Amino acid sequence: MRIAYALLDPGIGVFGTKGASVHVQEVIRALRADGHHVTVFCTRVNDDVPADLADLEVRRHRLPKGSGAAREQAVAAASAAIAEEIAAGDFDLVYERYSLFSDTAARLTEPAAPGDRAIPSILEVNAPLIAEQRQHRSLADEAGAWATTRAQLRGASLVSCVSETVAAWTREEGADPARVVVTPNGVNTTRITPAPRPVTVAEADAAPDAPVTVGFVGTLKPWHGTDVLLRALARTGPRLRLDICGTGPQQEELERLADELGIADRVRFRGAVAPEHVPAFLHGLDIAVAPYPAGEHYFSPLKVYEYLAAGLPTIASAIGTLPDLLVGGELGVLVEPGDVAELADALDELAADPAHRAHLAAAARAAAVREHDWRIRCRALLARLEAGAPIGVSA
């Protein structure tokens, strides 16, 4: 199958290092692994090109410099141009990551001109972007954003949502319920693997005072709860160390906090790390953490899927999709969101129990391979589409 992958969000580079870019790359890898030919149409590329994607065909539509209304209009214009380019090609499917002011897939699935070929489409929705843009960035033309969003939701053959909360939002905004499917995030279990030689229970028992490395992967922003993790670490025994993979606007603040808490010598801030180096980073951990604070949690954290695939015992906040993902605690330890004391106790207890860590690690890896590989996710989507998802605008 020839697939046109459309990514018009100017904040996401196809070859970037943050989670959204990793998500894009992994979906493309999964589709290519099953023999599909993927061509990417985008507005941003970035320079961290993984070796296995060096041959990926990427057609970039550059946006003019600017912000606010001018940038929004430029994305809309790029969407129309990309739709024309895809229509002129011989593509079997359009896979679009939902972006504000883009309606590329909808234009192709329900073409305006009579007689033009309709191309089936999958619209991947990861968040209610209008609310996010309004709250965290700026939105000049909210009416225009809603118009293109509703066109996308009504026009796509299939609307693939990262969680049930997001799926409910798409239905409220006009997506036909028959076309909406929940597709949680996944992980490349070939790229993310357990450490070649994990420490055995016997070795850990024989060295009860050996350092235990706790790890976090992600952008350093308040809604990831890294400050909670630092405060919890300050309450744990001195053998625990924290290794942070990622950067973001909160990094300097977090470095100051580590200093104030007296744990700066126990914390390493690595900064931005290219996705190709993340597997090696995970191999150096004993425990992984997803310390989300309380609040709205409609997403499906990539980091936790990577922790599972790496065979890491994981501590995560009991919020959003995480209790189900960790099977109520069978695949990891769940703690109350934002509870510093409970997180500290969980860290100390897991550090002191190598047998429990080994059990969680084995169960996590098995679940990742069995249920959460990106190839499983993509195959299910394509099967759902082929099973009879309707094409065209819903009534």
Side-chain angles (χ1 to χ4, degrees), residues 126-172:
N126 296 286
L129 290 182
I130 294 175
E132 283 195 351
Q133 189 77 8
R134 190 193 308 118
Q135 180 178 354
H136 301 296
R137 303 174 192 92
S138 64
L139 187 60
D141 182 11
E142 185 165 336
W146 277 117
T148 52
T149 289
R150 288 170 178 147
Q152 291 180 81
L153 295 177
R154 292 169 180 164
S157 306
L158 198 64
V159 180
S160 173
C161 302
V162 77
S163 68
E164 176 53 40
T165 302
V166 172
W169 175 77
T170 67
R171 291 189 290 264
E172 289 169 4

Side-chain angles (χ1 to χ4, degrees), residues 331-378:
L331 302 183
V333 177
L334 293 163
V335 296
E336 191 68 23
D339 192 320
V340 172
E342 187 173 351
L343 178 55
D345 288 345
L347 286 166
D348 273 335
E349 289 170 8
L350 206 50
D353 192 346
H356 190 198
R357 297 206 306 271
H359 171 77
L360 290 175
R365 173 64 185 179
V369 172
R370 183 178 64 248
E371 301 175 33
H372 304 305
D373 192 282
W374 274 121
R375 289 166 295 183
I376 296 173
R377 299 282 193 258
C378 290

Side-chain angles (χ1 to χ4, degrees), residues 20-51:
S21 296
V22 173
H23 186 288
V24 170
Q25 293 168 28
E26 293 297 9
V27 169
I28 292 169
R29 281 192 181 100
L31 293 169
R32 281 164 45 116
D34 277 352
H36 303 294
H37 182 276
V38 180
T39 300
V40 176
F41 297 82
C42 66
T43 59
R44 180 174 173 180
V45 178
N46 286 42
D47 300 322
D48 298 291
V49 184

Side-chain angles (χ1 to χ4, degrees), residues 50-65:
D52 67 321
L53 295 179
D55 64 336
L56 178 67
E57 183 180 2
V58 179
R59 303 183 191 178
R60 181 184 180 187
H61 286 243
R62 292 180 181 273
L63 299 180
K65 291 184 178 180

Side-chain angles (χ1 to χ4, degrees), residues 219-242:
T219 306
L220 302 184
K221 293 183 177 180
W223 54 85
H224 284 168
T226 324
D227 59 323
V228 175
L229 178 54
L230 288 174
R231 296 182 190 281
L233 184 74
R235 290 172 166 237
T236 65
R239 64 187 295 227
L240 274 75
R241 302 285 188 269
L242 176 60

Side-chain angles (χ1 to χ4, degrees), residues 11-316:
I12 303 174
V14 177
F15 299 125
T17 60
K18 63 183 182 180
S21 296
V22 173
H23 186 288
V24 170
Q25 293 168 28
E26 293 297 9
V27 169
I28 292 169
R29 281 192 181 100
L31 293 169
R32 281 164 45 116
D34 277 352
H36 303 294
H37 182 276
V38 180
T39 300
V40 176
F41 297 82
C42 66
T43 59
R44 180 174 173 180
V45 178
N46 286 42
D47 300 322
D48 298 291
V49 184
D52 67 321
L53 295 179
D55 64 336
L56 178 67
E57 183 180 2
V58 179
R59 303 183 191 178
R60 181 184 180 187
H61 286 243
R62 292 180 181 273
L63 299 180
K65 291 184 178 180
S67 59
R71 175 54 65 92
E72 295 169 1
Q73 292 164 11
V75 172
S79 175
I82 287 172
E84 288 185 9
E85 189 174 348
I86 295 173
D90 187 24
F91 291 99
D92 305 300
L93 172 69
V94 182
Y95 187 111
E96 180 170 14
R97 182 180 173 112
Y98 166 50
S99 306
L100 294 181
F101 302 99
S102 171
D103 58 356
T104 301
R107 286 171 178 265
L108 295 161
T109 302
E110 185 69 17
D116 285 356
R117 182 173 70 98
I119 306 175
S121 62
I122 296 173
L123 179 68
E124 176 192 284
V125 184
N126 296 286
L129 290 182
I130 294 175
E132 283 195 351
Q133 189 77 8
R134 190 193 308 118
Q135 180 178 354
H136 301 296
R137 303 174 192 92
S138 64
L139 187 60
D141 182 11
E142 185 165 336
W146 277 117
T148 52
T149 289
R150 288 170 178 147
Q152 291 180 81
L153 295 177
R154 292 169 180 164
S157 306
L158 198 64
V159 180
S160 173
C161 302
V162 77
S163 68
E164 176 53 40
T165 302
V166 172
W169 175 77
T170 67
R171 291 189 290 264
E172 289 169 4
E173 298 305 333
D176 182 346
R179 305 181 188 205
V180 176
V181 61
V182 175
T183 308
N185 280 331
V187 63
N188 184 332
T189 58
T190 301
R191 189 176 73 87
I192 306 289
T193 60
R197 184 188 176 280
V199 175
T200 66
V201 173
E203 289 171 332
D205 281 335
D209 298 323
V212 173
T213 302
V214 177
F216 170 88
V217 177
T219 306
L220 302 184
K221 293 183 177 180
W223 54 85
H224 284 168
T226 324
D227 59 323
V228 175
L229 178 54
L230 288 174
R231 296 182 190 281
L233 184 74
R235 290 172 166 237
T236 65
R239 64 187 295 227
L240 274 75
R241 302 285 188 269
L242 176 60
D243 204 345
I244 296 176
C245 175
T247 189
Q250 211 184 10
Q251 180 164 338
E252 289 187 9
E253 175 188 337
L254 293 170
E255 289 173 345
R256 288 195 299 271
L257 178 60
D259 209 23
E260 292 167 6
L261 293 169
I263 56 172
D265 61 336
R266 296 169 58 194
V267 181
R268 178 180 182 183
F269 290 89
R270 289 178 178 258
V273 175
E276 63 190 284
H277 300 309
V278 170
F281 169 80
L282 295 172
H283 286 171
L285 305 181
D286 299 300
I287 298 170
V289 185
Y292 292 100
E296 187 178 20
H297 193 281
Y298 49 76
F299 44 96
S300 175
L302 278 172
K303 65 169 63 64
V304 180
Y305 289 93
E306 293 185 342
Y307 296 164
L308 297 181
L312 286 170
T314 297
I315 302 174

